[in-house]
Amino acid sequence: MSNTENSIDMTRPLPDVQPWSRPFWEAAKNGELLVQHCMDCAANIFYPRKYCPECWSGNLDWIKSSGKAVVYSFSTAYDMVEPRFWEDLPYTIAFVDLPEGVRMMTRIVECDPEDISIGMEVKVTWRKLNDDFFLPYFRPVKS
Ligand SMILES: [Zn+2]
């Protein structure tokens, strides 16, 4: 009898790429944060979708985000997370608002969690998961 039944899967989950989200992940490899844009009603859209959630058009394109954002809300995990994220503790999950008019779930990094506040200005910084995936995290804007 093997002991693998009791082992913990420490493999990080990877994004499930869809045809309509592939451009986002391709641009991320080059450090570009893309936001979907509806060519019919001009809505900016995040996360990537097949149809515009405002007008149901499939006529979607992409714009390049400035990478700037403001913290809308956040929560810091110090314990009690899935085992494959233990090595990251403590970490802060946040919603940030981009000037392009979309709200993005992300992590706030490169600062003490105690220094994070609602309304804080942040900027995108990339974290490599593997050769195919770079995740957009955000760090405080240094004044
Ligand atoms: Zn639309």
mmCIF file of all heavy atoms in Angstrom, residues 59-104:
data_model
loop_
_atom_site.group_PDB
_atom_site.id
_atom_site.type_symbol
_atom_site.label_atom_id
_atom_site.label_comp_id
_atom_site.label_asym_id
_atom_site.label_seq_id
_atom_site.Cartn_x
_atom_site.Cartn_y
_atom_site.Cartn_z
ATOM 1 N N ASN A 59 -18.552 41.592 -30.732
ATOM 2 C CA ASN A 59 -17.576 42.422 -31.448
ATOM 3 C C ASN A 59 -16.622 43.067 -30.430
ATOM 4 O O ASN A 59 -16.733 44.249 -30.129
ATOM 5 C CB ASN A 59 -18.335 43.479 -32.257
ATOM 6 C CG ASN A 59 -17.421 44.267 -33.178
ATOM 7 O OD1 ASN A 59 -16.276 43.880 -33.413
ATOM 8 N ND2 ASN A 59 -17.933 45.383 -33.673
ATOM 9 N N LEU A 60 -15.722 42.252 -29.899
ATOM 10 C CA LEU A 60 -14.844 42.699 -28.815
ATOM 11 C C LEU A 60 -13.408 42.835 -29.284
ATOM 12 O O LEU A 60 -12.935 42.060 -30.114
ATOM 13 C CB LEU A 60 -14.914 41.712 -27.647
ATOM 14 C CG LEU A 60 -16.315 41.443 -27.088
ATOM 15 C CD1 LEU A 60 -16.253 40.419 -25.960
ATOM 16 C CD2 LEU A 60 -16.968 42.728 -26.611
ATOM 17 N N ASP A 61 -12.731 43.826 -28.731
ATOM 18 C CA ASP A 61 -11.319 44.052 -29.026
ATOM 19 C C ASP A 61 -10.594 44.241 -27.694
ATOM 20 O O ASP A 61 -11.170 43.973 -26.642
ATOM 21 C CB ASP A 61 -11.181 45.276 -29.940
ATOM 22 C CG ASP A 61 -9.875 45.234 -30.729
ATOM 23 O OD1 ASP A 61 -9.026 44.371 -30.444
ATOM 24 O OD2 ASP A 61 -9.697 46.063 -31.621
ATOM 25 N N TRP A 62 -9.374 44.723 -27.740
ATOM 26 C CA TRP A 62 -8.556 44.878 -26.530
ATOM 27 C C TRP A 62 -7.954 46.274 -26.465
ATOM 28 O O TRP A 62 -7.592 46.838 -27.495
ATOM 29 C CB TRP A 62 -7.428 43.841 -26.529
ATOM 30 C CG TRP A 62 -7.920 42.430 -26.524
ATOM 31 C CD1 TRP A 62 -8.208 41.666 -27.629
ATOM 32 C CD2 TRP A 62 -8.212 41.627 -25.388
ATOM 33 N NE1 TRP A 62 -8.663 40.424 -27.222
ATOM 34 C CE2 TRP A 62 -8.667 40.380 -25.864
ATOM 35 C CE3 TRP A 62 -8.121 41.834 -24.014
ATOM 36 C CZ2 TRP A 62 -9.038 39.345 -24.998
ATOM 37 C CZ3 TRP A 62 -8.477 40.809 -23.155
ATOM 38 C CH2 TRP A 62 -8.932 39.570 -23.670
ATOM 39 N N ILE A 63 -7.827 46.794 -25.261
ATOM 40 C CA ILE A 63 -7.053 48.013 -25.041
ATOM 41 C C ILE A 63 -5.969 47.686 -24.022
ATOM 42 O O ILE A 63 -6.101 46.764 -23.217
ATOM 43 C CB ILE A 63 -7.924 49.191 -24.533
ATOM 44 C CG1 ILE A 63 -8.610 48.830 -23.207
ATOM 45 C CG2 ILE A 63 -8.947 49.587 -25.592
ATOM 46 C CD1 ILE A 63 -9.305 50.007 -22.543
ATOM 47 N N LYS A 64 -4.884 48.463 -24.076
ATOM 48 C CA LYS A 64 -3.791 48.256 -23.134
ATOM 49 C C LYS A 64 -4.039 49.129 -21.916
ATOM 50 O O LYS A 64 -4.199 50.355 -22.037
ATOM 51 C CB LYS A 64 -2.463 48.606 -23.796
ATOM 52 C CG LYS A 64 -1.271 48.238 -22.952
ATOM 53 C CD LYS A 64 0.039 48.604 -23.658
ATOM 54 C CE LYS A 64 1.192 48.461 -22.675
ATOM 55 N NZ LYS A 64 2.456 48.936 -23.264
ATOM 56 N N SER A 65 -4.060 48.512 -20.748
ATOM 57 C CA SER A 65 -4.251 49.260 -19.504
ATOM 58 C C SER A 65 -2.968 49.996 -19.136
ATOM 59 O O SER A 65 -1.865 49.553 -19.457
ATOM 60 C CB SER A 65 -4.633 48.304 -18.376
ATOM 61 O OG SER A 65 -4.501 48.938 -17.120
ATOM 62 N N SER A 66 -3.147 51.107 -18.418
ATOM 63 C CA SER A 66 -1.983 51.845 -17.902
ATOM 64 C C SER A 66 -1.261 51.039 -16.828
ATOM 65 O O SER A 66 -0.099 51.316 -16.516
ATOM 66 C CB SER A 66 -2.454 53.176 -17.306
ATOM 67 O OG SER A 66 -3.276 52.920 -16.167
ATOM 68 N N GLY A 67 -1.957 50.065 -16.256
ATOM 69 C CA GLY A 67 -1.358 49.287 -15.166
ATOM 70 C C GLY A 67 -1.489 49.958 -13.814
ATOM 71 O O GLY A 67 -1.047 49.421 -12.807
ATOM 72 N N LYS A 68 -2.112 51.144 -13.805
ATOM 73 C CA LYS A 68 -2.347 51.824 -12.525
ATOM 74 C C LYS A 68 -3.684 51.367 -11.962
ATOM 75 O O LYS A 68 -4.582 50.973 -12.703
ATOM 76 C CB LYS A 68 -2.392 53.345 -12.724
ATOM 77 C CG LYS A 68 -1.088 53.934 -13.198
ATOM 78 C CD LYS A 68 -1.264 55.426 -13.469
ATOM 79 C CE LYS A 68 0.001 56.041 -14.017
ATOM 80 N NZ LYS A 68 -0.230 57.428 -14.475
ATOM 81 N N ALA A 69 -3.822 51.441 -10.640
ATOM 82 C CA ALA A 69 -5.084 51.073 -10.005
ATOM 83 C C ALA A 69 -5.135 51.665 -8.602
ATOM 84 O O ALA A 69 -4.138 52.196 -8.104
ATOM 85 C CB ALA A 69 -5.233 49.555 -9.944
ATOM 86 N N VAL A 70 -6.319 51.551 -8.008
ATOM 87 C CA VAL A 70 -6.549 52.005 -6.635
ATOM 88 C C VAL A 70 -7.198 50.845 -5.890
ATOM 89 O O VAL A 70 -8.101 50.179 -6.409
ATOM 90 C CB VAL A 70 -7.474 53.250 -6.622
ATOM 91 C CG1 VAL A 70 -7.863 53.620 -5.195
ATOM 92 C CG2 VAL A 70 -6.789 54.425 -7.315
ATOM 93 N N VAL A 71 -6.743 50.599 -4.652
ATOM 94 C CA VAL A 71 -7.294 49.498 -3.858
ATOM 95 C C VAL A 71 -8.743 49.815 -3.494
ATOM 96 O O VAL A 71 -9.032 50.849 -2.893
ATOM 97 C CB VAL A 71 -6.464 49.259 -2.583
ATOM 98 C CG1 VAL A 71 -7.135 48.209 -1.689
ATOM 99 C CG2 VAL A 71 -5.045 48.822 -2.945
ATOM 100 N N TYR A 72 -9.656 48.915 -3.880
ATOM 101 C CA TYR A 72 -11.072 49.053 -3.535
ATOM 102 C C TYR A 72 -11.363 48.353 -2.209
ATOM 103 O O TYR A 72 -12.071 48.885 -1.344
ATOM 104 C CB TYR A 72 -11.927 48.459 -4.653
ATOM 105 C CG TYR A 72 -13.396 48.369 -4.306
ATOM 106 C CD1 TYR A 72 -14.206 49.512 -4.332
ATOM 107 C CD2 TYR A 72 -13.977 47.156 -3.942
ATOM 108 C CE1 TYR A 72 -15.546 49.441 -4.004
ATOM 109 C CE2 TYR A 72 -15.312 47.083 -3.620
ATOM 110 C CZ TYR A 72 -16.098 48.213 -3.647
ATOM 111 O OH TYR A 72 -17.423 48.143 -3.314
ATOM 112 N N SER A 73 -10.828 47.134 -2.055
ATOM 113 C CA SER A 73 -11.004 46.380 -0.817
ATOM 114 C C SER A 73 -9.927 45.301 -0.774
ATOM 115 O O SER A 73 -9.352 44.947 -1.811
ATOM 116 C CB SER A 73 -12.397 45.750 -0.767
ATOM 117 O OG SER A 73 -12.624 45.171 0.500
ATOM 118 N N PHE A 74 -9.656 44.778 0.405
ATOM 119 C CA PHE A 74 -8.607 43.761 0.504
ATOM 120 C C PHE A 74 -8.799 42.913 1.757
ATOM 121 O O PHE A 74 -9.525 43.297 2.681
ATOM 122 C CB PHE A 74 -7.212 44.414 0.522
ATOM 123 C CG PHE A 74 -6.941 45.245 1.746
ATOM 124 C CD1 PHE A 74 -6.259 44.702 2.819
ATOM 125 C CD2 PHE A 74 -7.379 46.554 1.827
ATOM 126 C CE1 PHE A 74 -6.003 45.457 3.956
ATOM 127 C CE2 PHE A 74 -7.143 47.315 2.965
ATOM 128 C CZ PHE A 74 -6.452 46.769 4.028
ATOM 129 N N SER A 75 -8.137 41.756 1.763
ATOM 130 C CA SER A 75 -8.142 40.875 2.920
ATOM 131 C C SER A 75 -6.806 40.145 2.959
ATOM 132 O O SER A 75 -6.344 39.633 1.940
ATOM 133 C CB SER A 75 -9.293 39.872 2.810
ATOM 134 O OG SER A 75 -9.275 38.998 3.913
ATOM 135 N N THR A 76 -6.176 40.097 4.112
ATOM 136 C CA THR A 76 -4.886 39.429 4.249
ATOM 137 C C THR A 76 -5.074 38.081 4.931
ATOM 138 O O THR A 76 -5.722 38.002 5.974
ATOM 139 C CB THR A 76 -3.904 40.300 5.050
ATOM 140 O OG1 THR A 76 -3.733 41.541 4.358
ATOM 141 C CG2 THR A 76 -2.555 39.613 5.196
ATOM 142 N N ALA A 77 -4.507 37.044 4.301
ATOM 143 C CA ALA A 77 -4.551 35.692 4.873
ATOM 144 C C ALA A 77 -3.264 35.460 5.649
ATOM 145 O O ALA A 77 -2.158 35.634 5.116
ATOM 146 C CB ALA A 77 -4.702 34.671 3.754
ATOM 147 N N TYR A 78 -3.407 35.087 6.920
ATOM 148 C CA TYR A 78 -2.254 34.761 7.763
ATOM 149 C C TYR A 78 -2.182 33.268 8.041
ATOM 150 O O TYR A 78 -1.153 32.760 8.471
ATOM 151 C CB TYR A 78 -2.341 35.523 9.090
ATOM 152 C CG TYR A 78 -2.179 37.011 8.936
ATOM 153 C CD1 TYR A 78 -3.294 37.831 8.795
ATOM 154 C CD2 TYR A 78 -0.918 37.595 8.927
ATOM 155 C CE1 TYR A 78 -3.148 39.205 8.650
ATOM 156 C CE2 TYR A 78 -0.757 38.957 8.788
ATOM 157 C CZ TYR A 78 -1.880 39.758 8.658
ATOM 158 O OH TYR A 78 -1.725 41.109 8.498
ATOM 159 N N ASP A 79 -3.301 32.562 7.834
ATOM 160 C CA ASP A 79 -3.378 31.144 8.152
ATOM 161 C C ASP A 79 -4.627 30.579 7.471
ATOM 162 O O ASP A 79 -5.382 31.324 6.840
ATOM 163 C CB ASP A 79 -3.472 30.963 9.673
ATOM 164 C CG ASP A 79 -3.054 29.570 10.113
ATOM 165 O OD1 ASP A 79 -2.860 28.682 9.251
ATOM 166 O OD2 ASP A 79 -2.936 29.358 11.329
ATOM 167 N N MET A 80 -4.835 29.276 7.615
ATOM 168 C CA MET A 80 -6.067 28.637 7.178
ATOM 169 C C MET A 80 -6.367 28.820 5.687
ATOM 170 O O MET A 80 -7.469 29.164 5.291
ATOM 171 C CB MET A 80 -7.269 29.140 8.002
ATOM 172 C CG MET A 80 -7.103 28.990 9.503
ATOM 173 S SD MET A 80 -6.911 27.288 10.024
ATOM 174 C CE MET A 80 -8.606 26.741 9.907
ATOM 175 N N VAL A 81 -5.353 28.581 4.850
ATOM 176 C CA VAL A 81 -5.570 28.602 3.403
ATOM 177 C C VAL A 81 -5.240 27.210 2.870
ATOM 178 O O VAL A 81 -4.692 26.358 3.583
ATOM 179 C CB VAL A 81 -4.703 29.668 2.694
ATOM 180 C CG1 VAL A 81 -5.071 31.046 3.200
ATOM 181 C CG2 VAL A 81 -3.223 29.393 2.862
ATOM 182 N N GLU A 82 -5.542 27.000 1.615
ATOM 183 C CA GLU A 82 -5.248 25.732 0.970
ATOM 184 C C GLU A 82 -3.745 25.440 1.068
ATOM 185 O O GLU A 82 -2.928 26.346 0.920
ATOM 186 C CB GLU A 82 -5.675 25.844 -0.497
ATOM 187 C CG GLU A 82 -6.168 24.555 -1.078
ATOM 188 C CD GLU A 82 -6.421 24.664 -2.560
ATOM 189 O OE1 GLU A 82 -6.966 25.688 -2.989
ATOM 190 O OE2 GLU A 82 -6.056 23.708 -3.258
ATOM 191 N N PRO A 83 -3.362 24.172 1.329
ATOM 192 C CA PRO A 83 -1.938 23.847 1.525
ATOM 193 C C PRO A 83 -1.011 24.354 0.422
ATOM 194 O O PRO A 83 0.109 24.776 0.701
ATOM 195 C CB PRO A 83 -1.937 22.322 1.585
ATOM 196 C CG PRO A 83 -3.283 21.970 2.116
ATOM 197 C CD PRO A 83 -4.225 23.017 1.558
ATOM 198 N N ARG A 84 -1.464 24.348 -0.830
ATOM 199 C CA ARG A 84 -0.545 24.757 -1.885
ATOM 200 C C ARG A 84 -0.242 26.250 -1.864
ATOM 201 O O ARG A 84 0.596 26.715 -2.635
ATOM 202 C CB ARG A 84 -1.032 24.311 -3.259
ATOM 203 C CG ARG A 84 -2.470 24.544 -3.543
ATOM 204 C CD ARG A 84 -2.886 23.805 -4.813
ATOM 205 N NE ARG A 84 -4.325 23.744 -4.921
ATOM 206 C CZ ARG A 84 -4.956 23.197 -5.932
ATOM 207 N NH1 ARG A 84 -4.278 22.665 -6.911
ATOM 208 N NH2 ARG A 84 -6.257 23.178 -5.962
ATOM 209 N N PHE A 85 -0.892 27.008 -0.983
ATOM 210 C CA PHE A 85 -0.576 28.431 -0.849
ATOM 211 C C PHE A 85 0.098 28.753 0.480
ATOM 212 O O PHE A 85 0.348 29.910 0.794
ATOM 213 C CB PHE A 85 -1.848 29.276 -1.018
ATOM 214 C CG PHE A 85 -2.443 29.171 -2.385
ATOM 215 C CD1 PHE A 85 -3.600 28.434 -2.594
ATOM 216 C CD2 PHE A 85 -1.835 29.776 -3.475
ATOM 217 C CE1 PHE A 85 -4.154 28.309 -3.864
ATOM 218 C CE2 PHE A 85 -2.370 29.654 -4.749
ATOM 219 C CZ PHE A 85 -3.541 28.925 -4.945
ATOM 220 N N TRP A 86 0.403 27.716 1.272
ATOM 221 C CA TRP A 86 1.033 27.933 2.580
ATOM 222 C C TRP A 86 2.318 28.743 2.471
ATOM 223 O O TRP A 86 2.572 29.625 3.283
ATOM 224 C CB TRP A 86 1.351 26.590 3.252
ATOM 225 C CG TRP A 86 0.166 25.927 3.887
ATOM 226 C CD1 TRP A 86 -1.051 26.494 4.149
ATOM 227 C CD2 TRP A 86 0.079 24.578 4.334
ATOM 228 N NE1 TRP A 86 -1.892 25.571 4.717
ATOM 229 C CE2 TRP A 86 -1.220 24.384 4.856
ATOM 230 C CE3 TRP A 86 0.974 23.506 4.344
ATOM 231 C CZ2 TRP A 86 -1.649 23.169 5.374
ATOM 232 C CZ3 TRP A 86 0.544 22.295 4.867
ATOM 233 C CH2 TRP A 86 -0.752 22.126 5.372
ATOM 234 N N GLU A 87 3.140 28.410 1.445
ATOM 235 C CA GLU A 87 4.451 29.062 1.365
ATOM 236 C C GLU A 87 4.330 30.561 1.074
ATOM 237 O O GLU A 87 5.296 31.295 1.239
ATOM 238 C CB GLU A 87 5.327 28.390 0.313
ATOM 239 C CG GLU A 87 4.815 28.572 -1.105
ATOM 240 C CD GLU A 87 5.732 27.902 -2.141
ATOM 241 O OE1 GLU A 87 6.792 27.381 -1.758
ATOM 242 O OE2 GLU A 87 5.356 27.916 -3.321
ATOM 243 N N ASP A 88 3.166 31.017 0.656
ATOM 244 C CA ASP A 88 2.980 32.447 0.345
ATOM 245 C C ASP A 88 2.562 33.265 1.564
ATOM 246 O O ASP A 88 2.582 34.484 1.524
ATOM 247 C CB ASP A 88 1.905 32.634 -0.719
ATOM 248 C CG ASP A 88 2.296 32.054 -2.065
ATOM 249 O OD1 ASP A 88 3.453 31.602 -2.201
ATOM 250 O OD2 ASP A 88 1.450 32.062 -2.972
ATOM 251 N N LEU A 89 2.149 32.598 2.634
ATOM 252 C CA LEU A 89 1.615 33.330 3.795
ATOM 253 C C LEU A 89 2.649 34.256 4.432
ATOM 254 O O LEU A 89 3.813 33.884 4.509
ATOM 255 C CB LEU A 89 1.109 32.328 4.846
ATOM 256 C CG LEU A 89 -0.138 31.549 4.461
ATOM 257 C CD1 LEU A 89 -0.396 30.442 5.467
ATOM 258 C CD2 LEU A 89 -1.349 32.465 4.363
ATOM 259 N N PRO A 90 2.234 35.405 4.950
ATOM 260 C CA PRO A 90 0.905 35.982 4.747
ATOM 261 C C PRO A 90 0.812 36.618 3.355
ATOM 262 O O PRO A 90 1.802 37.072 2.816
ATOM 263 C CB PRO A 90 0.834 37.067 5.839
ATOM 264 C CG PRO A 90 2.258 37.516 5.986
ATOM 265 C CD PRO A 90 3.102 36.291 5.726
ATOM 266 N N TYR A 91 -0.404 36.633 2.771
ATOM 267 C CA TYR A 91 -0.581 37.323 1.489
ATOM 268 C C TYR A 91 -1.917 38.049 1.478
ATOM 269 O O TYR A 91 -2.828 37.719 2.237
ATOM 270 C CB TYR A 91 -0.448 36.363 0.306
ATOM 271 C CG TYR A 91 -1.446 35.239 0.252
ATOM 272 C CD1 TYR A 91 -2.703 35.434 -0.340
ATOM 273 C CD2 TYR A 91 -1.137 33.980 0.742
ATOM 274 C CE1 TYR A 91 -3.614 34.396 -0.405
ATOM 275 C CE2 TYR A 91 -2.039 32.935 0.680
ATOM 276 C CZ TYR A 91 -3.274 33.151 0.104
ATOM 277 O OH TYR A 91 -4.176 32.124 0.033
ATOM 278 N N THR A 92 -1.989 39.048 0.623
ATOM 279 C CA THR A 92 -3.162 39.909 0.585
ATOM 280 C C THR A 92 -3.867 39.808 -0.752
ATOM 281 O O THR A 92 -3.270 40.068 -1.797
ATOM 282 C CB THR A 92 -2.766 41.376 0.847
ATOM 283 O OG1 THR A 92 -2.143 41.446 2.135
ATOM 284 C CG2 THR A 92 -3.982 42.282 0.800
ATOM 285 N N ILE A 93 -5.134 39.409 -0.702
ATOM 286 C CA ILE A 93 -5.999 39.398 -1.876
ATOM 287 C C ILE A 93 -6.748 40.735 -1.890
ATOM 288 O O ILE A 93 -7.201 41.201 -0.838
ATOM 289 C CB ILE A 93 -7.031 38.254 -1.791
ATOM 290 C CG1 ILE A 93 -6.335 36.886 -1.705
ATOM 291 C CG2 ILE A 93 -8.015 38.305 -2.958
ATOM 292 C CD1 ILE A 93 -5.683 36.441 -2.987
ATOM 293 N N ALA A 94 -6.855 41.323 -3.073
ATOM 294 C CA ALA A 94 -7.520 42.627 -3.143
ATOM 295 C C ALA A 94 -8.356 42.739 -4.402
ATOM 296 O O ALA A 94 -8.111 42.049 -5.400
ATOM 297 C CB ALA A 94 -6.483 43.749 -3.124
ATOM 298 N N PHE A 95 -9.343 43.630 -4.341
ATOM 299 C CA PHE A 95 -9.992 44.132 -5.540
ATOM 300 C C PHE A 95 -9.394 45.504 -5.795
ATOM 301 O O PHE A 95 -9.326 46.334 -4.873
ATOM 302 C CB PHE A 95 -11.506 44.268 -5.347
ATOM 303 C CG PHE A 95 -12.253 42.975 -5.489
ATOM 304 C CD1 PHE A 95 -12.858 42.388 -4.396
ATOM 305 C CD2 PHE A 95 -12.355 42.358 -6.724
ATOM 306 C CE1 PHE A 95 -13.557 41.191 -4.521
ATOM 307 C CE2 PHE A 95 -13.047 41.160 -6.865
ATOM 308 C CZ PHE A 95 -13.649 40.582 -5.762
ATOM 309 N N VAL A 96 -8.938 45.733 -7.033
ATOM 310 C CA VAL A 96 -8.415 47.051 -7.393
ATOM 311 C C VAL A 96 -9.219 47.606 -8.562
ATOM 312 O O VAL A 96 -9.671 46.857 -9.436
ATOM 313 C CB VAL A 96 -6.909 47.002 -7.737
ATOM 314 C CG1 VAL A 96 -6.100 46.546 -6.524
ATOM 315 C CG2 VAL A 96 -6.619 46.117 -8.934
ATOM 316 N N ASP A 97 -9.413 48.927 -8.538
ATOM 317 C CA ASP A 97 -10.140 49.611 -9.611
ATOM 318 C C ASP A 97 -9.141 50.241 -10.574
ATOM 319 O O ASP A 97 -8.272 51.016 -10.157
ATOM 320 C CB ASP A 97 -11.045 50.691 -9.031
ATOM 321 C CG ASP A 97 -12.256 50.094 -8.324
ATOM 322 O OD1 ASP A 97 -12.635 48.957 -8.650
ATOM 323 O OD2 ASP A 97 -12.822 50.787 -7.453
ATOM 324 N N LEU A 98 -9.288 49.916 -11.861
ATOM 325 C CA LEU A 98 -8.416 50.481 -12.876
ATOM 326 C C LEU A 98 -9.061 51.727 -13.487
ATOM 327 O O LEU A 98 -10.299 51.808 -13.545
ATOM 328 C CB LEU A 98 -8.150 49.451 -13.981
ATOM 329 C CG LEU A 98 -7.046 48.416 -13.707
ATOM 330 C CD1 LEU A 98 -7.347 47.567 -12.493
ATOM 331 C CD2 LEU A 98 -6.822 47.537 -14.933
ATOM 332 N N PRO A 99 -8.243 52.682 -13.944
ATOM 333 C CA PRO A 99 -8.818 53.879 -14.571
ATOM 334 C C PRO A 99 -9.623 53.556 -15.833
ATOM 335 O O PRO A 99 -10.433 54.363 -16.280
ATOM 336 C CB PRO A 99 -7.596 54.758 -14.879
ATOM 337 C CG PRO A 99 -6.420 53.862 -14.810
ATOM 338 C CD PRO A 99 -6.784 52.736 -13.896
ATOM 339 N N GLU A 100 -9.415 52.362 -16.377
ATOM 340 C CA GLU A 100 -10.192 51.936 -17.546
ATOM 341 C C GLU A 100 -11.613 51.555 -17.157
ATOM 342 O O GLU A 100 -12.418 51.189 -18.012
ATOM 343 C CB GLU A 100 -9.487 50.772 -18.246
ATOM 344 C CG GLU A 100 -8.180 51.149 -18.935
ATOM 345 C CD GLU A 100 -6.988 51.267 -17.983
ATOM 346 O OE1 GLU A 100 -7.068 50.755 -16.846
ATOM 347 O OE2 GLU A 100 -5.985 51.893 -18.379
ATOM 348 N N GLY A 101 -11.926 51.599 -15.865
ATOM 349 C CA GLY A 101 -13.306 51.375 -15.431
ATOM 350 C C GLY A 101 -13.638 49.936 -15.076
ATOM 351 O O GLY A 101 -14.809 49.575 -15.004
ATOM 352 N N VAL A 102 -12.628 49.126 -14.868
ATOM 353 C CA VAL A 102 -12.886 47.736 -14.484
ATOM 354 C C VAL A 102 -12.276 47.452 -13.115
ATOM 355 O O VAL A 102 -11.349 48.129 -12.675
ATOM 356 C CB VAL A 102 -12.329 46.735 -15.526
ATOM 357 C CG1 VAL A 102 -13.019 46.920 -16.859
ATOM 358 C CG2 VAL A 102 -10.826 46.856 -15.666
ATOM 359 N N ARG A 103 -12.835 46.455 -12.437
ATOM 360 C CA ARG A 103 -12.366 46.012 -11.121
ATOM 361 C C ARG A 103 -11.746 44.640 -11.278
ATOM 362 O O ARG A 103 -12.332 43.760 -11.913
ATOM 363 C CB ARG A 103 -13.533 45.981 -10.147
ATOM 364 C CG ARG A 103 -13.156 45.601 -8.726
ATOM 365 C CD ARG A 103 -14.288 45.913 -7.781
ATOM 366 N NE ARG A 103 -14.424 47.362 -7.616
ATOM 367 C CZ ARG A 103 -15.526 47.952 -7.163
ATOM 368 N NH1 ARG A 103 -16.575 47.232 -6.840
ATOM 369 N NH2 ARG A 103 -15.575 49.264 -7.042
ATOM 370 N N MET A 104 -10.558 44.467 -10.703
ATOM 371 C CA MET A 104 -9.795 43.242 -10.900
ATOM 372 C C MET A 104 -9.436 42.626 -9.548
ATOM 373 O O MET A 104 -9.025 43.339 -8.641
ATOM 374 C CB MET A 104 -8.516 43.621 -11.666
ATOM 375 C CG MET A 104 -7.643 42.484 -12.110
ATOM 376 S SD MET A 104 -6.233 43.096 -13.102
ATOM 377 C CE MET A 104 -7.089 43.623 -14.593
#
